[in-house]
Amino acid sequence: MHEKIIEDFSEEFVTVPSGNVRLEGNLVIPEHATGIVLFAHGSGSSRHSRRNLSVAEALHACGLGTLLIDLLTQTEEAIDLRTRELRFDIDLLADRLVGATWWLAGEETTRALPVGLFGASTGAAAALVAAAGRADHVAAVVSRGGRPDLAGASLPNVRTPTLLIVGGSDGVVVDLNRRAMAVMTAPVRLEIVPRATHLFEEPGALDQVARLARDWFVRYLPAPGAESPR
């Protein structure tokens, strides 16, 4: 692992085993961290997503660690650039996330920290499928501009408190999120950011996403040893 200092936090470049592959990631653990959030980026994106990094910074400021990983290997990314098929393989992406949660549970610096999942676009569907499969280890989920409908039959099995954040001008995705809510049994809330489009590029829109995500994770990621307020 390689380490560098970003602002007041130490960032480690890690490789995370998941199934038969190793995924590249960036791990940040603030001093006295009270939880950690695993990020699942959207279709065609990577762990270097500016939008996800903005949310991660807001989480660091309130004492939450983050793990941003590339869900595809470099070889798979090259294939996906041509075919665009792996980014929609929700089961594959969810399996990779589950593998990463097991890795966090086994690492000395993170094993005691409650885990949240932050998913964007297709990554949100993968996060929900992973949460359904790891209900004992995932304490909260946040979706940004997500496609929860792609989680399919896993949606009713999600028991983890879930926040869905959608841009008010992203009409089709708003409707897809509302339909997903109708079949979910977990505590779920939909937050619509006024006038924001799918990528939340409007002034102040991404800041609002970061605040909403921060507040959700602070609420539902309990201090180590405590129970989540579900």
Side-chain angles (χ1 to χ4, degrees):
M1 293 188 292
H2 304 285
E3 184 172 306
K4 70 175 182 178
I5 304 298
I6 52 172
E7 297 182 352
D8 297 327
F9 307 116
S10 175
E11 179 182 55
E12 290 181 290
F13 298 88
V14 297
T15 55
V16 179
S18 182
N20 60 354
V21 301
R22 299 185 70 86
L23 307 173
E24 296 182 345
N26 296 57
L27 177 69
V28 175
I29 307 293
E31 189 175 3
H32 307 303
T34 57
I36 186 163
V37 178
L38 172 59
F39 280 67
H41 57 72
S43 56
S45 186
S46 75
R47 73 183 192 276
H48 302 297
S49 161
R50 175 184 59 82
R51 286 171 288 276
N52 282 354
L53 288 171
S54 178
V55 174
E57 289 173 3
L59 300 181
H60 300 158
C62 65
L64 293 174
T66 59
L67 174 60
L68 286 83
I69 60 172
D70 287 330
L71 296 176
L72 301 176
T73 66
Q74 292 184 3
T75 299
E76 290 169 338
E77 286 178 353
I79 294 171
D80 187 63
L81 283 174
R82 298 194 305 271
T83 66
R84 297 180 178 271
E85 61 185 27
L86 293 177
R87 67 187 66 183
F88 290 102
D89 190 337
I90 304 303
D91 288 339
L92 171 67
L93 302 180
D95 284 345
R96 301 278 169 89
L97 285 176
V98 168
T101 67
W102 281 112
W103 182 81
L104 289 171
E107 290 293 298
E108 183 177 355
T109 57
T110 56
R111 65 179 54 157
L113 299 177
V115 175
L117 299 179
F118 181 95
S121 190
T122 53
L128 288 165
V129 174
R134 287 283 277 152
D136 60 326
H137 196 67
V138 176
V141 174
V142 173
S143 162
R144 171 183 63 78
R147 290 290 308 276
D149 56 298
L150 295 178
S154 293
L155 275 179
N157 298 322
V158 176
R159 302 197 302 272
T160 304
T162 300
L163 174 65
L164 307 173
I165 307 173
V166 187
S169 297
D170 195 9
V172 172
V173 176
V174 170
D175 184 56
L176 291 172
N177 276 256
R178 284 180 169 149
R179 293 183 184 182
M181 284 182 68
V183 300
M184 292 182 68
T185 57
V188 58
R189 191 169 86 205
L190 175 65
E191 289 282 354
I192 298 177
V193 179
R195 296 176 295 281
T197 51
H198 186 63
L199 296 180
F200 297 90
E201 296 177 310
E202 294 71 25
L206 198 56
D207 291 337
Q208 190 166 346
V209 170
R211 287 194 300 271
L212 290 166
R214 175 200 65 196
D215 292 348
W216 193 260
F217 286 126
V218 167
R219 176 182 179 186
Y220 284 107
L221 293 189
E227 292 187 1
S228 176
R230 299 193 182 184

